[in-house]
Amino acid sequence: MEYTYQYSWIIPFIPLPVPMLIGVGLLLFPTATKNLRRMWAFPSIFLLSIVMILSVYLSIQQINRSFIYQYVWSWTINNDFSFEFGHLIDPLTSIMLILITTVGILVLFYSDNYMSHDQGYLRFFAYMSFFNTSMLGLVTSSNLIQIYIFWELVGMCSYLLIGFWFTRPSAATACQKAFVTNRVGDFGLLLGILGLYWITGSFEFRDLFQILNNLIYNNEVPFLFLTLCAFLLFAGAVAKSAQFPLHVWLPDAMEGPTPISALIHAATMVAAGIFLVARLLPLFIIIPYIMNFISLIGIITVLLGATLALAQKDIKRGLAYSTMSQLGYMMLALGMGSYRAALFHLITHAYSKALLFLGSGSIIHSMEAIVGYSPDKSQNMVLMGGLKKHVPITKTAFLVGTLSLCGIPPLACFWSKDEILNDSWLYSPIFAIIACSTAGLTAFYMFRIYLLTFEGHFNVHFQNYNGQKSSSCYSISLWGKEVPKMIKNHFCLLSLLTMNNNERTSFFSNKTYQIDGNGKNRIRPFITITNFVTKNTFSYPHESDNTMLFSMVILVLFTLFVGVVGIPFAFNQEEIHLDILSKLLNPSINLLHPNSNNSVDWYEFVTNASFSVSIAFFGIFIASFLYKPIYSSLQNLNLLNSFSKRGSNRILGDRIRNGIYDWSYNRGYIDAFYTISLTQGIRGLAELIHFLDRRLIDGITNGFGLTSFFFGEGIKYVGGGRISSYLLLYLLFVLIFLLIYSFFFNLNFL
Amino acid sequence: MNYFPWLTIIVLLPIFAGSLIFFLPHRGNKVIRWYTICICTLELLLTTYTFCYHFQLNDPLTQLTEDYKWINFFDFYWRLGIDGLSIGPILLTGFITTLATLAARPVTRDSRLFHFLMLAMYSGQIGSFSSRDLLLFFIMWELELIPVYLLLAMWGGKKRLYSATKFILYTAGGSIFLLIGVLGIGLYGSNEPTLNLETLANQSYPVALEIILYIGFLIAFSVKLPIIPLHTWLPDTHGEAHYSTCMLLAGILLKMGAYGLVRINMELLPHAHSIFSPWLIIVGAIQIIYAALTSPGQRNLKKRIAYSSVSHMGFIIIGIGSITDTGLNGAILQIISHGFIGAALFFLAGTSYDRIRLVYLDEMGGMAIHLPKIFTMFSILSMASLALPGMSGFLAELIVFFGIITSHQYLLMPKILITFVMAIGMILTPIYLLSMLRQMFYGYKLFNVPNSYFLDFGPRELFVSISILLPIIAIGIYPDFVLSLSVDKVEAIISNYFYQ
């Protein structure tokens, strides 16, 4: 058993060979590597499964006897500074390890099919495996510098994967935005690490906490500075977990391929911020201000994310805002000090949200074949509707995910969310009211997404003869009106290029014929055009392939049963600690239940649970009232149209609804504010400084050069050898001399 | 002790072998190219061999010293020797110059002169890094200016004469101050001029004189490094020069300024340095922000990279100004690491310019489809430049940060402020580098070029970029490669400051 711990440093490096081999292969032997295409998926899944087995084994050990293992190597040897590398296995790590590996394997499995037609298939797998490496490194790291290193690497992977389809301008801006926003967080993180190093002289978590405690015990710590450092550290977590002021990157990050959104932007990477705060909770807990601040940020994010998710058209953006809101719940829980609830919600949310994203990916995959490869269309919920007939399995999976996220009892998220809500009542009633009402909002927007997508009629075929669609709520983009014609144009363009434009090729070859291995599909324009046109007349989305469905089904199972790890089975009084999560996190922090006995009062539990469930049902009811298709799905596309039946209070109600709608549609005006203030500001400043640099600093140099040039020219002219000019100059100087002389002479007289 | 003159051979081999180019038979450019590359590789191997077998790493003193009298009545010696401070830059010089000659293969116009100049520069650079005599240092310093001027004026872009003139005026102007400083130091206190760095290091001067000398040297080196506001030659020069010249400029030439700052200002004039170091740090912090803010305003690709290297030089200045072991080590690591990263970025910019023939960033776009390998390398190296962990730039900057944090010279508040400003630079760097990547590669665009078919990296270019990339990653993963070279020497230098 000791051996397992000793060799567990290898965990992050197990998936590393895949990206290295693919990278080297793509650079040096592109053709050979591309011929092996599908083969590469196998080792990446295989290696990740090894990690999974290892981490399951480790966490079983952890459950049996909770103990923390740490091992450290020195990295740089110097007298003054020594960095160390190490790995730390504790309950938190083992939970995160299992989470990352299970979701990672399922997503890899899924994306094998999802990306199979993409020319960037290999690149995708290389990035994914590299992401897995750095994420595993992040959770096993034992000191702050190591956390920072992997933190940045994870951010880079996210950058690369958001910009995966680099030909889309929107993806290009989105990935830059994500990286820069995350860098703002990293800025805080780095400064916080440096400040803590200055205070304590250590990076190791446990040394650091111990030294800090000693310092505080002896009252020798600059408290303001410590608060500042903790605040800066928290800024890193804010950016990574998309909390309130720095959340702007997450919805845009949905430009990446959908498996990425499931793995990185829902389950693992965005949870890294939560992980960091959880890891540093012993530090934060010393400073009450920071704890309050964390919960404040959490509650703001909860509310903001939920309101912004209300009227999103894009299915993935809606889910992204919901992710943000749920992350806010976790942050809130951490800020309240209920460590266990936060981690429990982290686990359950990761599986449910991964399931939802994979489901939406499956929908998008089937929609792409019909509406075209544009995120404005294939992810647009307005064009969907009535999919439950066509994609039944996806529909079931998606429904399970939705119900789980809404907090309907037997499913995973119910247990964790309920726990957070309960704890929030203990913490502060205002926060609790907000959190509970947001639970209702969550149910509302999740069901809105579900209903718009799966209920009603399939909307794509209506759009050509229905004028109402392009009116108030949204305008069909340029590509929208005449699909076949635009497609043809694209095809001309494509056949002109006849090459690597991967997305469009992959789109056209979607369902028409199977691809055997390496892009033989490149130059077959005519066949595809005919196929496409015929298909467009009577096409409905198809269910996805079995590999994709398989991952989703497994995730459904997870969503159904993962709640078990945290449910307190207190049926018989002898075995109180049956619940696995509490067993893992037993000696950890719990602020709100000081006399921690895990026997739950069942009566209290049931009342609380029934309260939150009733709120969720209320949300669901409102959503189905608004979006349930009664006679035509077209009328219920937004909040505006559906209320036209009601007569009284109409104007005020409409105004409120308009306000909410605009708020949500414009992303709370925060993006616009950032664009105007920060982006334009920096651009203006850059222009200004560039101008100064060129005109002022360079101007002095050039001016110096020009003056000396003119001076030389003047001298040349004067010294041209003409006697008359010499005489003139001579006389001039004599005159000046006389003037001066007379001046002084007069002065002397005076 | 062996008396074989290794260093003399290393310094003189390139320029002598280079002058033989003119006697080669007229067989086309191929012979010249191969000859030059062979010489460069031979030199690199020779340097590596010498340093492996005749240099003890744990000895902070000067080694491999050579001392020959050159001019009798002026007491001028041919004094060479290396220590932990100079071994890194010399190896960097060998590496980058070899790759630059490999990168310069497309140059066909006047290729004899071109390659001769490359080799002459090789000699000048190694000479100035390894000279132990102030006047010799000055001569070597001047020696490599002329090849740069010619390379710039003959093989540059459209505005090459303007930038070449600007370059030579700036640097020659700086050299005047260098000469003044050299003579001032050499002639102080005795009738016989003493120019030996060894003896000079142990000499002490009155504070006023030391400050004046310090200012003189500072001006000379801050033109070269560059330190704002003396940086404006750099974007012009880098924007116009051929990319192999750019590699040398960014990779090595800028580092000579930093080297001189450590070698002369820190080692010879410790009093003045401790007086000036707060100002150096402030200037460095301003420079990081200033250059990082100027960079996004540039439309020209090469100028944008040039400003990014100005910004990175700020870290070197801060590291030198922090007067700590850590900070100085970080500065040296940054010298090496930026040598690789800057050279590689200019190489990539040049090669992609060769293909699309567009200078301005806003005209480019959508190149990633046609040039995937360039895209990959460009992304990786931009990441290296914006200090992604795992690459050398990150470690260098991190160590400089620690240098500032652990410095005992400054109070808490200024330290916090400086660290803050430096860290803001960390936010600005990705803005300009990533927007550069976005404008060049992302998006989708049809080129108006008649045959819109671009050749991706050939094996030669791939080799060059990968062989620069490997040390970047190696240093990033295991920094002791470089740190072990300089640690003892740095300790020796810093310990000077505690005796006072």
Side-chain angles (χ1 to χ4, degrees):
Chain A
M1 195 211 91
E2 278 299 314
Y3 286 118
T4 331
Y5 279 106
Q6 222 161 28
Y7 291 109
S8 56
W9 61 268
I10 210 170
I11 283 178
F13 300 104
I14 288 176
L16 191 61
V18 176
M20 281 168 67
L21 284 177
I22 293 181
V24 171
L26 278 181
L27 274 178
L28 299 181
F29 322 103
T31 343
T33 320
K34 275 179 187 156
N35 282 339
L36 288 174
R37 228 169 120 84
R38 296 294 279 275
M39 295 273 277
W40 285 105
F42 180 71
S44 42
I45 294 175
F46 174 70
L47 291 176
L48 205 59
S49 339
I50 293 177
V51 182
M52 184 181 75
I53 292 165
L54 246 174
S55 51
V56 167
Y57 180 70
L58 281 178
S59 48
I60 289 171
Q61 302 284 357
Q62 290 282 343
I63 291 169
N64 284 342
R65 53 190 189 122
S66 190
F67 107 115
I68 297 170
Y69 181 81
Q70 187 175 15
Y71 193 81
V72 172
W73 295 270
S74 67
W75 181 26
T76 60
I77 305 156
N78 200 318
N79 291 345
D80 282 347
F81 57 99
S82 61
F83 298 143
E84 280 166 338
F85 249 50
H87 66 277
L88 174 72
I89 307 285
D90 69 343
L92 181 61
T93 305
S94 55
I95 289 173
M96 290 299 284
L97 279 179
I98 290 187
L99 184 71
I100 294 163
T101 46
T102 44
V103 179
I105 287 172
L106 291 173
V107 166
L108 278 176
F109 207 75
Y110 177 92
S111 48
D112 172 51
N113 195 291
Y114 191 86
M115 303 300 288
S116 64
H117 302 293
D118 202 299
Q119 292 217 332
Y121 182 84
L122 286 174
R123 210 155 47 88
F124 184 82
F125 269 85
Y127 291 166
M128 285 281 266
S129 299
F130 192 63
F131 170 78
N132 286 329
T133 303
S134 29
M135 193 69 207
L136 292 172
L138 177 66
V139 295
T140 51
S141 52
S142 72
N143 59 31
L144 281 169
I145 288 291
Q146 210 176 336
I147 285 245
Y148 182 80
I149 288 172
F150 287 114
W151 190 266
E152 285 261 297
L153 287 180
V154 166
M156 183 205 68
C157 289
S158 151
Y159 165 80
L160 291 173
L161 284 165
I162 295 169
F164 184 77
W165 286 317
F166 47 73
T167 44
R168 282 191 204 159
S170 53
T173 46
C175 63
Q176 192 184 348
K177 189 175 183 180
F179 196 90
V180 172
T181 318
N182 271 313
R183 207 70 202 266
V184 175
D186 297 345
F187 156 83
L189 184 62
L190 182 65
L191 286 181
I193 292 172
L194 291 175
L196 275 184
Y197 179 72
W198 190 80
I199 294 174
T200 61
S202 168
F203 295 121
E204 298 294 325
F205 294 118
R206 292 192 294 169
D207 296 354
L208 199 127
F209 300 145
Q210 202 160 11
I211 293 171
L212 261 185
N213 278 328
N214 286 342
L215 284 178
I216 283 179
Y217 184 69
N218 298 331
N219 233 345
E220 311 176 321
V221 71
F223 199 71
L224 199 67
F225 188 59
L226 182 64
T227 317
L228 179 71
C229 289
F231 170 74
L232 286 170
L233 278 177
F234 179 58
V238 165
K240 205 51 114 197
S241 287
Q243 300 296 301
F244 158 57
L246 297 176
H247 65 274
V248 286
W249 65 274
L250 187 61
D252 281 359
M254 297 300 134
E255 286 294 334
T258 314
I260 295 312
S261 312
L263 178 65
I264 298 185
H265 302 122
T268 52
M269 189 189 83
V270 288
I274 309 293
F275 167 78
L276 181 73
V277 176
R279 179 64 96 204
L280 293 176
L281 207 60
L283 164 71
F284 290 134
I285 234 161
I286 301 170
I287 314 157
Y289 301 115
I290 285 293
M291 292 300 274
N292 292 336
F293 185 72
I294 291 174
S295 52
L296 180 69
I297 290 286
I299 199 80
I300 291 175
T301 315
V302 166
L303 192 62
L304 188 73
T307 50
L308 292 185
L310 285 181
Q312 295 297 326
K313 280 190 332 217
D314 187 323
I315 183 169
K316 281 173 73 182
R317 269 178 213 275
L319 290 177
Y321 278 117
S322 126
T323 308
M324 180 184 145
S325 169
Q326 300 298 317
L327 288 169
Y329 273 115
M330 297 170 211
M331 211 48 112
L332 173 69
L334 284 173
M336 294 184 304
S338 52
Y339 184 73
R340 177 181 177 279
L343 285 184
F344 191 19
H345 197 56
L346 175 63
I347 298 166
T348 55
H349 168 255
Y351 289 116
S352 313
K353 199 40 88 52
L355 172 62
L356 281 172
F357 266 113
L358 291 190
S360 74
S362 160
I363 298 164
I364 291 165
H365 201 63
S366 26
M367 287 294 285
E368 269 168 16
I370 294 161
V371 295
Y373 195 93
S374 154
D376 286 340
K377 301 176 70 190
S378 62
Q379 304 178 8
N380 198 337
M381 285 189 290
V382 176
L383 298 183
M384 297 174 190
L387 290 180
K388 81 178 161 186
K389 279 174 289 201
H390 310 295
V391 286
I393 303 176
T394 308
K395 176 237 161 193
T396 320
F398 200 88
L399 183 64
V400 170
T402 309
L403 287 175
S404 162
L405 211 61
C406 296
I408 304 300
L411 296 167
C413 272
F414 160 73
W415 303 100
S416 54
K417 200 180 213 168
D418 194 56
E419 202 165 321
I420 292 177
L421 292 181
N422 280 349
D423 285 352
S424 69
W425 282 110
L426 297 177
Y427 181 71
S428 143
I430 303 171
F431 281 17
I433 290 167
I434 297 176
C436 284
S437 52
T438 311
L441 279 179
T442 311
F444 175 77
Y445 66 71
M446 282 316 297
F447 257 82
R448 173 179 171 273
I449 292 173
Y450 171 75
L451 292 171
L452 281 180
T453 313
F454 291 104
E455 299 291 326
H457 301 288
F458 192 50
N459 286 331
V460 172
H461 304 312
F462 288 102
Q463 64 176 348
N464 284 334
Y465 48 84
N466 194 324
Q468 197 187 0
K469 295 282 297 275
S470 59
S471 60
S472 65
C473 68
Y474 85 116
S475 57
I476 292 180
S477 60
L478 265 177
W479 292 30
K481 285 263 177 175
E482 52 253 305
V483 181
K485 201 179 156 198
M486 272 313 287
I487 292 297
K488 259 181 203 163
N489 280 349
H490 269 288
F491 235 91
C492 295
L493 196 142
L494 192 77
S495 52
L496 272 179
L497 285 174
T498 59
M499 51 187 179
N500 306 328
N501 188 359
N502 46 3
E503 285 93 31
R504 284 180 187 129
T505 320
S506 64
F507 150 50
F508 280 108
S509 53
N510 240 344
K511 289 289 173 190
T512 49
Y513 47 85
Q514 280 301 318
I515 290 172
D516 37 0
N518 50 354
K520 277 182 187 170
N521 53 336
R522 280 183 194 167
I523 313 164
R524 281 194 206 167
F526 298 108
I527 309 165
T528 333
I529 278 186
T530 49
N531 271 353
F532 190 84
V533 171
T534 51
K535 212 169 68 178
N536 194 48
T537 51
F538 53 91
S539 58
Y540 282 100
H542 296 277
E543 185 65 282
S544 305
D545 280 353
N546 286 334
T547 15
M548 283 162 79
L549 293 179
F550 172 75
S551 306
M552 279 153 61
V553 168
I554 301 285
L555 274 175
V556 165
L557 293 181
F558 268 115
T559 313
L560 284 173
F561 297 115
V562 86
V564 172
V565 297
I567 304 169
F569 290 107
F571 296 114
N572 45 350
Q573 291 300 316
E574 294 89 61
E575 290 183 66
I576 290 170
H577 295 292
L578 208 78
D579 142 33
I580 299 168
L581 199 65
S582 314
K583 211 166 180 179
L584 266 177
L585 303 174
N586 199 20
S588 61
I589 312 112
N590 206 343
L591 279 185
L592 297 172
H593 306 285
N595 45 355
S596 159
N597 53 342
N598 279 342
S599 63
V600 178
D601 188 356
W602 273 96
Y603 174 70
E604 194 184 336
F605 176 76
V606 168
T607 35
N608 282 327
S610 58
F611 178 63
S612 62
V613 169
S614 61
I615 287 175
F617 272 117
F618 181 67
I620 294 172
F621 171 71
I622 299 265
S624 53
F625 173 64
L626 289 180
Y627 294 100
K628 185 80 180 173
I630 304 161
Y631 50 96
S632 158
S633 62
L634 296 177
Q635 289 250 325
N636 300 319
L637 284 168
N638 57 352
L639 286 157
L640 274 176
N641 289 348
S642 51
F643 271 77
S644 54
K645 291 169 264 178
R646 292 229 227 130
S648 61
N649 285 341
R650 196 176 152 181
I651 296 166
L652 184 67
D654 270 2
R655 196 170 289 165
I656 291 171
R657 263 165 246 126
N658 260 332
I660 293 174
Y661 183 79
D662 283 346
W663 163 263
S664 168
Y665 186 69
N666 293 321
R667 303 154 163 225
Y669 304 103
I670 295 168
D671 282 38
F673 172 71
Y674 282 163
T675 315
I676 291 168
S677 61
L678 293 177
T679 318
Q680 304 287 347
I682 285 183
R683 209 167 278 166
L685 198 61
E687 285 297 320
L688 178 74
I689 290 194
H690 175 50
F691 178 79
L692 278 184
D693 195 65
R694 223 182 34 198
R695 296 283 166 214
L696 198 72
I697 297 180
D698 210 20
I700 290 171
T701 323
N702 285 338
F704 194 70
L706 275 183
T707 339
S708 61
F709 175 73
F710 281 121
F711 192 68
E713 283 292 313
I715 295 286
K716 191 177 91 184
Y717 180 72
V718 170
R722 288 171 62 179
I723 303 290
S724 55
S725 59
Y726 286 163
L727 275 178
L728 186 72
L729 208 69
Y730 172 70
L731 285 177
L732 196 75
F733 275 105
V734 166
L735 227 119
I736 290 171
F737 174 72
L738 279 179
L739 266 175
I740 293 171
Y741 182 74
S742 61
F743 186 65
F744 277 103
F745 194 66
N746 288 345
L747 281 182
N748 281 351
F749 264 114
L750 288 170
Chain B
M1 206 59 196
N2 63 325
Y3 293 101
F4 194 74
W6 287 109
L7 279 177
T8 311
I9 288 178
I10 289 173
V11 171
L12 292 182
L13 173 74
I15 194 160
F16 275 111
S19 53
L20 289 181
I21 285 183
F22 294 105
F23 303 109
L24 283 178
H26 279 280
R27 289 272 176 75
N29 295 327
K30 211 170 179 181
V31 182
I32 301 168
R33 275 187 223 137
W34 277 113
Y35 177 73
T36 319
I37 290 173
C38 286
I39 293 294
C40 284
T41 324
L42 181 70
E43 170 85 0
L44 181 61
L45 291 178
L46 192 67
T47 323
T48 324
Y49 168 76
T50 314
F51 291 169
C52 277
Y53 290 99
H54 301 286
F55 186 83
Q56 272 86 40
L57 276 178
N58 44 8
D59 186 3
L61 292 178
T62 316
Q63 297 174 45
L64 294 171
T65 46
E66 287 164 32
D67 207 344
Y68 305 109
K69 196 148 213 172
W70 191 354
I71 303 174
N72 210 352
F73 81 101
F74 194 64
D75 198 26
F76 178 44
Y77 287 82
W78 173 263
R79 254 191 217 112
L80 297 176
I82 51 172
D83 56 9
L85 204 57
S86 48
I87 183 168
I90 290 178
L91 285 174
L92 179 76
T93 310
F95 195 76
I96 297 289
T97 314
T98 311
L99 289 178
T101 45
L102 196 58
R105 278 178 79 89
V107 173
T108 47
R109 195 157 55 85
D110 259 341
S111 85
R112 273 167 201 273
L113 186 58
F114 185 90
H115 286 103
F116 167 69
L117 290 175
M118 295 285 267
L119 288 175
M121 229 170 123
Y122 203 161
S123 276
Q125 282 154 345
I126 291 190
S128 57
F129 283 130
S130 62
S131 65
R132 299 296 304 168
D133 185 285
L134 264 183
L135 202 60
L136 188 64
F137 178 76
F138 175 73
I139 289 170
M140 288 297 182
W141 180 274
E142 292 294 297
L143 176 65
E144 47 77 31
L145 288 188
I146 302 152
V148 178
Y149 173 73
L150 289 176
L151 284 172
L152 193 55
M154 295 180 69
W155 286 272
K158 279 178 189 147
K159 280 173 71 188
R160 55 177 180 267
L161 278 180
Y162 168 74
S163 359
T165 315
K166 200 168 182 178
F167 170 76
I168 200 76
L169 286 182
Y170 252 112
T171 41
S175 299
I176 293 172
F177 291 96
L178 182 62
L179 184 62
I180 292 173
V182 165
L183 293 181
I185 277 199
L187 296 176
Y188 171 74
S190 62
N191 298 329
E192 286 281 295
T194 48
L195 293 166
N196 192 350
L197 279 173
E198 230 81 359
T199 46
L200 286 173
N202 301 324
Q203 203 171 5
S204 66
Y205 310 91
V207 177
L209 178 69
E210 203 166 301
I211 288 176
I212 291 172
L213 290 174
Y214 190 89
I215 291 175
F217 283 120
L218 185 65
I219 291 174
F221 297 135
S222 62
V223 168
K224 204 54 163 259
L225 188 55
I227 300 177
I228 53 168
L230 299 174
H231 65 278
T232 51
W233 63 271
L234 189 136
D236 281 324
T237 311
H238 284 67
E240 295 303 321
H242 185 259
Y243 58 83
S244 55
T245 319
C246 272
M247 285 170 77
L248 292 180
L249 274 171
I252 307 154
L253 217 70
L254 306 187
K255 311 305 174 299
M256 284 174 59
Y259 174 78
L261 217 52
V262 179
R263 171 67 76 202
I264 293 182
N265 284 20
M266 274 193 88
E267 228 179 333
L268 301 190
L269 309 166
H271 286 286
H273 186 69
S274 47
I275 294 170
F276 273 92
S277 59
W279 301 105
L280 275 184
I281 287 185
I282 291 172
V283 169
I286 293 175
Q287 176 164 344
I288 291 174
I289 299 291
Y290 179 87
L293 274 175
T294 321
S295 190
Q298 304 295 324
R299 287 177 66 221
N300 188 328
L301 166 64
K302 279 181 163 179
K303 281 193 181 179
R304 185 168 282 200
I305 301 175
Y307 273 105
S308 97
S309 59
V310 175
S311 172
H312 284 106
M313 291 301 112
F315 282 99
I316 296 183
I317 303 171
I318 291 181
I320 290 174
S322 72
I323 324 189
T324 48
D325 217 346
T326 324
L328 192 55
N329 270 317
I332 289 168
L333 193 61
Q334 175 81 328
I335 288 176
I336 306 288
S337 117
H338 184 264
F340 289 121
I341 296 172
L345 276 179
F346 277 112
F347 171 71
L348 289 171
T351 45
S352 46
Y353 171 74
D354 272 359
R355 286 168 171 82
I356 50 170
R357 296 275 153 203
L358 291 174
V359 182
Y360 294 117
L361 279 169
D362 38 14
E363 293 167 355
M364 301 180 193
M367 276 159 51
I369 308 166
H370 308 287
L371 309 169
K373 286 178 189 166
I374 296 187
F375 175 49
T376 315
M377 298 311 291
F378 223 122
S379 310
I380 295 174
L381 284 158
S382 306
M383 289 291 167
S385 178
L386 59 81
L388 189 83
M391 313 252 201
S392 57
F394 164 71
L395 264 167
E397 293 182 14
L398 187 72
I399 295 176
V400 171
F401 266 115
F402 280 115
I404 279 289
I405 289 288
T406 53
S407 168
H408 299 293
Q409 236 204 345
Y410 307 102
L411 298 174
L412 177 62
M413 215 50 214
K415 268 200 270 192
I416 294 177
L417 217 65
I418 291 289
T419 322
F420 227 82
V421 173
M422 281 163 77
I424 288 175
M426 219 184 76
I427 301 179
L428 293 175
T429 320
I431 292 180
Y432 63 79
L433 281 172
L434 294 186
S435 72
M436 178 182 83
L437 275 184
R438 178 172 56 82
Q439 283 171 321
M440 283 178 75
F441 293 104
Y442 286 74
Y444 185 76
K445 186 182 173 187
L446 272 180
F447 285 96
N448 295 325
V449 190
N451 50 349
S452 66
Y453 182 66
F454 302 110
L455 223 55
D456 204 1
F457 263 173
R460 176 180 60 88
E461 287 154 325
L462 202 61
F463 173 75
V464 172
S465 49
I466 287 182
S467 46
I468 298 185
L469 180 65
L470 285 181
I472 292 177
I473 293 180
I475 294 173
I477 290 174
Y478 193 68
D480 276 0
F481 281 137
V482 175
L483 288 179
S484 61
L485 298 178
S486 59
V487 161
D488 293 300
K489 178 65 188 171
V490 165
E491 213 167 301
I493 293 177
I494 293 295
S495 61
N496 267 344
Y497 285 83
F498 292 115
Y499 286 135
Q500 295 148 22

